[in-house]
Structure formats: C-alpha cells, structure tokens
Amino acid sequence: MKEIRLGICGLGTVGGGVLDLIKRNADRLYDQVGAPVRVVKIGSRTKKPLFNDEKISFYQDVLLLAEDPDIDIVLELIGGVDIAKELVRKAIINGKHVVTANKALIASHGEELFSLAQKYSVSLRFEAAVAGSIPIVKILRESLSSNKISCVTGIINGTTNYILSEMAVSDRSFSDILSEAQELGFAEADPTFDIEGIDAGHKLVILASLAFGIPLSLDELSIEGISQISIADLKSASELGYGIKHLAVARLVDERLELSVHLALISATHLISRVDGAGNAILIQGDPSGETLLCGAGAGAGPTASSVVSDVIDLARNLIREQADQVKHLGFSTTAIKPRELLTQDEIVAPWYLRIEAEDNSKSIASITDILIKRDISKQTIVSKIIDASSNKIEIVIITDPSSTKALFDATEEISRLQSVSGAITKIRIEDLPSCT
Ligand code: HSE
C-alpha cells in the first residue's frame, strides 16, 4: 500500500506541535487516509531535532527538502516571507503539494503561489494560516459557498486577545502579559506583528478574499494595534457594559468594502465579548445563512497543528485516490476574482468611546461638549470621575452617537488643544455587531 511521505520545514512552536500530533495520532491518520502517513524528512535552519528517529532524516538547508524525491507533501512551518516563499515555490516546481501555516506569505504572495500550484497541478493548503484550530478557510470556501457574504468579523489574533483579557481581570502590565503570551507560544517571532495588528491584517486579507472574491492585497487595509489601551479604558468600558476587543472587520457597506483591524467596544452581552485568552471568534453574515459564529483556540502549537494536519489528511486522501483538489485555492474561479471599491476610514460612521483627562473645574466638561456639538457629534453618555484629588484631575468618559471618523478625529484634535486637557485622548469605535442567537 502506498504511504504518504511528509517533509516538515521548521521545528519551532508549530513544527514541534505538528510532529507531535502526527506521532500521537498516527493510528487516526491511518484510519482517516486509509494508508500510513509518515514524516520522513525534517528541515530546520536552527535546530537539530532532539529525538532520535533513524527513519527521519534531517536537513539544515531547508531548500533541499523541497527537491527531495522521497517527499509527497512539504509542510512549510518556518514562518517569515523570503525563505518560506522560496521553499514553497521550489516545492511546487518539484511537483510537491504544500501545506503552510504562513499568513504573511499567503497574504502577500498567495496569488503568485496559487497560480504556480495550478500550473504544476499541485495543491497549496493554508487552513492553519487563519484562526488556529477554527476551520474558517474550509467553511468560507466550501461550507458557506452558496451564500452572498456581507460581513466577516471577529477576533483573529490570539496574542492580543490574551493581553486584553488578562488586562481586564488583573492589574498586570502589558509587557508582563505579552512575555507570558510569548512563553505560551501564542506570539509571533516578532511580537510587534501581533500588537500592532499586522498579523490580524494578514489574516483579514485572506478572509476577505475567501468571502468576497477580491485579490489578496495588503494595500489600503486600515490597521490599528492595541498599544494605546490602558487598564483604565478596560475598566471604564466594563462599567458602561462593554468589553474591549481587537477586531478585524471585512464588511460591505452599500456595496463598498470596509477592511480594518481596530480596537472596538462590544456589548458585554455579545458572545464575542466573552471570548477570552488566546481564543478567536469569527462571525460570518451571509444570505441566506444568516449569522454563523465560530469560536475556538486561535494560537499555540496544538490548535495550529490541528489545522495543518487536517490539511495534510485532505491532501493525503487525494493522493491515495490519485485525485486533484476539486476546489480552487480561494474558492472562486480565477477570472471571478476582482477588486472592490473600499470605504475609507474617514467615511466610516460609528458611535465612539472617548476618555479624556482634564482639570476638575466647571469649564472642562462644558468646553469639551461645546466642541462636540459644533461638529454635530451628540453624546449618549458622559461620566466623569476624580482620578487624583491631589492633582485636581478628572477622567471624562463619553459615548457618542454615530459620527464619521473624520468629524470625531477633528473634534478630538481640537479638544486635545484645550488648556484644561492633558495627555492623549483615547478614541475607540463602538461596534454594534449582529447578534448570533
Ligand atoms: N501570533 C498569532 C496569534 C499566532 O497570536 O494569533 C496564530 O496565528
């Protein structure tokens, strides 16, 4: 009986998790595929495997693995873009199927690699690139393919969700929690990718392509990180009945597409608000499906390995039956993939949360509200509390009615110039997400 031979490139958190899962669930893999699935080669630029398995050979030059005739499927788990791209290209040209967990690679070079894979009649799978163990690629590409999708939104970075949810329940510092997320294997090799929203941006680009049939492109994507957030914001939001989440949004507004990653206040009663730790949640609004919410583990060795190995099983099943993949990489036929007009951030209309530090005098609040009124921004709620009696400082929290980003930013710029106002003003959008119950 034919056996399916794998070459794993990269032995970091994900590579280690994949190797462990394939060994641990070898019987299940056999039962699912109908043939043995075996790791025969490992490539790692930095690490020689600690285990001693004579049946697995080791390459320090990972590119050699891409041309090894003993391998059917190459697993690209090294991350980054340059060497990963070379490896995937080389593997495809050598007739190998590829499974990758690399969102940066797919978001920036996906189309080139997909057309190369098509040319060489091989598959390039990337379920693990978005949302850890949640099978969102397959769901958008296959299970919901009959729908007209109007919105895909949610939490798609485990590290930032871990930081925000820990900050909400403890007084630990941002950097302390980030170090913990790194130790737990959630964060990227360079964690600024997580905290500045770049990782979520890569994943959002992939989701938007799958949902709306647009080309993979990082241009014009609006990205905000989480570094402006403070424990004071999380507490104030909670007192007003909201959670703060780092949200990725791809949604149609009058047939134009909003694509952004930003901090958002979400009603504490919404299920997405309750997704904590490294959890991810994705809400899909489709016609006629209505709302579908998927929650699960978004980062870490095991959850990512789950998706990588499920892709391997899919490909191995095809190989056993000598069948090609039936589904296009992004679901849509190549000629159907077209750009859409994007909505600029300035045009987006939403209610806002503002937190302003000011002097505790009768004029402070009046001058702030005058500026808002002048720009037609009405307020739903305004609360103030003393921060520090000795310094005569108060914190003013305002929830506005829906206003355009431009009007809001112009107003807060003017407010920041008031003499009574000190420090940066926190501005966070409030998202009224469709309910999923
Ligand atoms: N750093 C990523 C995250 C890993 O935190 O979500 C999973 O893609």
Side-chain angles (χ1 to χ4, degrees):
M1 178 187 295
K2 183 174 166 56
E3 102 178 330
I4 305 299
R5 298 153 309 169
L6 312 179
I8 296 183
C9 275
L11 265 195
T13 304
V14 179
V18 166
L19 191 60
D20 175 58
L21 179 57
I22 291 171
K23 285 186 163 184
R24 201 153 41 88
N25 281 2
D27 290 349
R28 182 169 172 87
L29 263 71
Y30 184 99
D31 292 345
Q32 292 280 329
V33 173
V37 178
R38 209 161 62 75
V39 177
V40 291
K41 307 274 158 95
I42 288 178
S44 168
R45 290 168 295 169
T46 50
K47 252 192 226 170
K48 211 170 158 63
L50 294 173
F51 60 86
N52 192 6
D53 186 335
E54 283 162 14
K55 293 192 200 126
I56 303 180
S57 10
F58 177 76
Y59 286 117
Q60 192 135 30
D61 178 354
V62 291
L63 295 177
L64 292 177
L65 196 138
E67 48 194 42
D68 187 317
D70 282 345
I71 294 172
D72 302 306
I73 306 174
V74 169
L75 280 58
E76 184 284 299
L77 308 173
I78 51 180
V81 170
D82 297 338
I83 298 177
K85 184 181 175 197
E86 211 181 327
L87 173 76
V88 172
R89 275 186 60 85
K90 217 166 180 183
I92 291 172
I93 290 166
N94 280 281
K96 296 176 195 317
H97 302 279
V98 177
V99 175
T100 180
N102 193 329
K103 48 263 161 144
L105 179 69
I106 297 297
S108 5
H109 300 289
E111 270 159 60
E112 177 191 336
L113 296 171
F114 295 150
S115 67
L116 196 68
Q118 203 168 336
K119 181 172 164 195
Y120 285 87
S121 306
V122 294
S123 300
L124 170 54
R125 291 295 190 104
F126 53 98
E127 183 66 74
V130 187
S133 63
I134 302 175
I136 185 64
V137 172
K138 192 165 227 162
I139 283 174
L140 284 173
R141 195 164 63 176
E142 298 172 45
S143 320
L144 291 176
S145 57
S146 59
N147 284 266
K148 180 175 191 271
I149 306 289
S150 51
C151 178
V152 179
T153 182
I155 301 164
I156 53 176
N157 182 275
T159 303
T160 50
N161 202 46
Y162 188 80
I163 294 172
L164 292 175
S165 39
E166 283 295 309
M167 279 175 79
V169 294
S170 72
D171 282 336
R172 292 166 64 203
S173 71
F174 189 102
S175 61
D176 182 29
I177 304 169
L178 173 60
S179 304
E180 191 178 57
Q182 287 176 287
E183 276 161 35
L184 291 167
F186 303 149
E188 295 302 294
D190 174 357
T192 54
F193 274 65
D194 296 296
I195 58 183
E196 294 308 331
I198 301 161
D199 177 78
H202 288 147
K203 293 167 178 168
L204 181 65
V205 160
I206 299 172
L207 291 181
S209 277
L210 290 160
F212 299 104
I214 58 170
L216 290 159
S217 165
L218 293 160
D219 302 340
E220 299 180 76
L221 176 67
S222 161
I223 298 183
E224 175 192 62
I226 63 162
S227 34
Q228 64 152 315
I229 204 74
S230 69
I231 289 177
D233 293 310
L234 289 154
K235 286 200 171 132
S236 301
S238 164
E239 283 160 14
L240 293 166
Y242 295 98
I244 299 184
K245 293 292 180 191
H246 195 211
L247 211 64
V249 177
R251 110 180 106 204
L252 286 178
V253 181
D254 299 331
E255 293 306 309
R256 287 197 293 158
L257 192 60
E258 175 194 352
L259 274 186
S260 83
V261 174
H262 57 266
L263 280 165
L265 262 71
I266 299 169
S267 165
T269 58
H270 197 283
L271 291 173
I272 286 190
S273 259
R274 302 191 207 155
V275 174
D276 287 332
N280 280 192
I282 302 173
L283 175 62
I284 306 152
Q285 203 171 28
D287 178 18
S289 64
E291 285 79 32
T292 305
L293 178 68
L294 300 146
C295 301
T304 314
S306 160
S307 287
V308 169
V309 178
S310 296
D311 270 349
V312 167
I313 291 175
D314 263 5
L315 294 183
R317 286 171 174 154
N318 285 347
L319 282 168
I320 289 297
R321 285 188 247 129
E322 296 183 2
Q323 274 185 356
D325 243 354
Q326 303 298 313
V327 189
K328 292 277 183 204
H329 291 102
L330 293 169
F332 294 81
S333 65
T334 317
T335 50
I337 294 183
K338 295 192 179 78
R340 266 186 190 265
E341 198 183 332
L342 293 184
L343 203 66
T344 65
Q345 283 303 299
D346 278 356
E347 295 169 291
I348 287 164
V349 175
W352 288 81
Y353 157 100
L354 304 176
R355 189 173 59 83
I356 304 163
E357 286 183 19
E359 279 165 30
D360 185 11
N361 62 44
S362 55
K363 278 204 205 136
S364 286
I365 295 182
S367 339
I368 291 169
T369 49
D370 281 353
I371 293 172
L372 292 174
I373 290 164
K374 196 171 73 186
R375 294 183 193 269
D376 284 333
I377 302 171
S378 45
K379 54 191 190 315
Q380 280 175 12
T381 310
I382 178 159
V383 285
S384 68
K385 60 182 170 202
I386 293 167
I387 305 176
D388 174 3
S390 62
S391 66
N392 199 34
K393 283 266 158 64
I394 55 168
E395 173 187 88
I396 303 160
V397 173
I398 301 171
I399 303 287
T400 75
D401 279 329
S403 118
S404 79
T405 308
K406 168 130 181 49
L408 196 284
F409 276 50
D410 287 348
T412 51
E413 207 277 319
E414 193 176 338
I415 292 169
S416 70
R417 282 189 269 115
L418 291 172
Q419 255 192 351
S420 58
V421 168
S422 55
I425 299 174
T426 313
K427 317 177 269 290
I428 306 177
R429 261 161 72 175
I430 301 177
E431 289 282 353
D432 184 15
L433 297 179
S435 118
C436 15
T437 48

